[in-house]
Amino acid sequence: MNALLKDKNIVVMGVANNRSIAWGITKSLHDAGANLIFTYRQERSKQKLEKLLDKNQIDAKLVVACDVEDDDSIKQAFQEIGDDAGTIHGLVHSVAFANTDELKGDYADTSRDGYLLAQNISSYSLVAVTREARKYMSEGGGIVTQTYLGSERVVPNYNVMGVAKAALEASVRYLAEDVGKDGIRVNAVSAGPIRTLSAKGVSGFNEKMSVIEEKAPLRRQVDQDQVGDATLFLLSDLARGVTGEVLHVDSGFHIVA
Ligand code: NDP
């Protein structure tokens, strides 16, 4: 237990089950004393989240529905959060989606609809939630999203999601400039491959994991807890001088040729 986020109201978006990166983040934020507010899309995710919270004896301040494809849903969710919590001190954006048939084969075969869907849910959503959350971040704070190396390099099969993550990382920089004057910092964690529900949709995912153990400087896998602690750092005052940054939590894989 540390007190890095004691009494801070932090919104966590994207817990689908115990393997979700957002669940690793939840544990780190809870250990740091945060008051946690969750958003979910599917009813199934809400049920899994409630069971996990119960099992781990974590009290949620609030759990609200939010479909990031829908502006009204985002507005409503943040209004409810704002009304309940008063002030938001931090936001974790850990949501993404692409059709599985766009996560294999040639990127050149990406459909227009598939491209727009991936951008909509995985990238534009950060813009929309930042706009709504900002209204309640009157004391400043931090926003952290989750990205992947496929934004910087061609990672086989990551395809349309790599391009969405490139847009997401550019958004981090533009948003950091917009909200910096309100004392709000916007950063991303670029995690190495972690076996989650979403990761299952990427063709050849096992090879992406095994290469980390072979080639990354630390020669070991990345897990949800490591991403959780890095996200905690970025949300906390320890990172008060850091914004517009992409922090790699990938055992150093991105530095090797
Ligand atoms: P999960 O499948 O556990 O989490 C993805 C989350 O996105 C789910 O909670 C899902 O909610 C949510 N989501 C999808 N569409 C929407 C929507 N329209 N509105 C609201 N929520 C939505 O996978 P991960 O934990 O792996 O993914 C979390 C983030 O981490 C993603 O941005 C992913 O790209 C990123 N990341 C993952 C890596 C990995 O190897 N796993 C590596 C680097 C980054 P629901 O299930 O309720 O639909």
Side-chain angles (χ1 to χ4, degrees):
M1 179 86 177
N2 58 70
L4 285 171
L5 293 179
K6 190 162 168 26
D7 299 329
K8 302 289 186 198
N9 299 325
I10 312 288
V11 181
V12 178
M13 311 182 76
V15 179
N17 58 36
N18 64 326
R19 288 180 178 266
S20 293
I21 288 177
W23 179 247
I25 295 170
T26 296
K27 288 188 287 174
S28 295
L29 303 186
H30 174 70
D31 286 348
N35 298 323
L36 295 170
I37 296 158
F38 295 90
T39 75
Y40 65 93
R41 173 170 66 162
Q42 300 183 64
E43 202 52 40
R44 190 187 59 185
S45 303
K46 184 192 184 194
Q47 284 164 11
K48 292 219 162 141
L49 169 67
E50 283 174 341
K51 271 196 189 141
L52 280 171
L53 291 170
D54 201 38
K55 195 172 148 201
N56 289 273
Q57 295 172 320
I58 298 175
D59 280 332
K61 196 171 166 59
L62 191 68
V63 180
V64 292
C66 181
D67 181 347
V68 299
E69 262 191 284
D70 176 357
D71 283 333
D72 288 340
S73 172
I74 298 174
K75 268 199 183 128
Q76 224 177 323
F78 278 88
Q79 191 159 356
E80 204 182 317
I81 293 167
D83 288 350
D84 186 86
T87 306
I88 298 174
H89 301 103
L91 171 71
V92 175
H93 174 275
S94 186
V95 304
F97 188 81
N99 288 323
T100 44
D101 52 2
E102 313 269 7
L103 297 170
K104 59 184 174 205
D106 281 5
Y107 172 62
D109 290 333
T110 304
S111 68
R112 188 179 299 273
D113 282 352
Y115 184 95
L116 294 174
L117 179 72
Q119 287 282 343
N120 189 2
I121 300 184
S122 316
S123 175
Y124 180 73
S125 60
L126 180 70
V127 181
V129 300
T130 297
R131 188 167 57 238
E132 294 309 315
R134 178 188 197 180
K135 296 177 183 166
Y136 303 98
M137 295 182 74
S138 51
E139 296 173 17
I143 295 174
V144 179
T145 187
Q146 302 297 321
T147 188
Y148 176 63
L149 187 64
S151 61
E152 303 164 53
R153 299 207 216 145
V154 175
V155 175
N157 302 312
Y158 201 63
N159 298 359
V160 71
M161 191 56 93
V163 176
K165 291 299 191 192
L168 178 72
E169 290 173 24
S171 267
V172 164
R173 294 184 281 272
Y174 278 91
L175 291 169
E177 162 57 18
D178 283 351
V179 300
K181 41 192 168 304
D182 301 334
I184 304 169
R185 300 175 295 101
V186 187
N187 292 291
V189 169
S190 184
I194 299 176
R195 207 179 298 283
T196 64
L197 200 59
S198 292
K200 270 193 197 157
V202 185
S203 214
F205 184 77
N206 286 345
E207 290 93 84
K208 289 187 209 345
M209 284 193 74
S210 53
V211 81
I212 300 285
E213 275 179 348
E214 281 162 35
K215 291 200 172 157
L218 293 176
R219 306 286 196 285
R220 56 174 154 83
Q221 299 295 345
V222 173
D223 64 23
Q224 290 86 339
D225 295 349
Q226 294 167 23
V227 178
D229 284 351
T231 301
L232 163 62
F233 160 72
L234 288 172
L235 286 174
S236 79
D237 233 34
L238 293 178
R240 60 195 175 279
V242 182
T243 194
E245 188 66 285
V246 177
L247 174 62
H248 292 82
V249 180
D250 63 349
S251 289
F253 182 69
H254 70 287
I255 66 166
V256 298

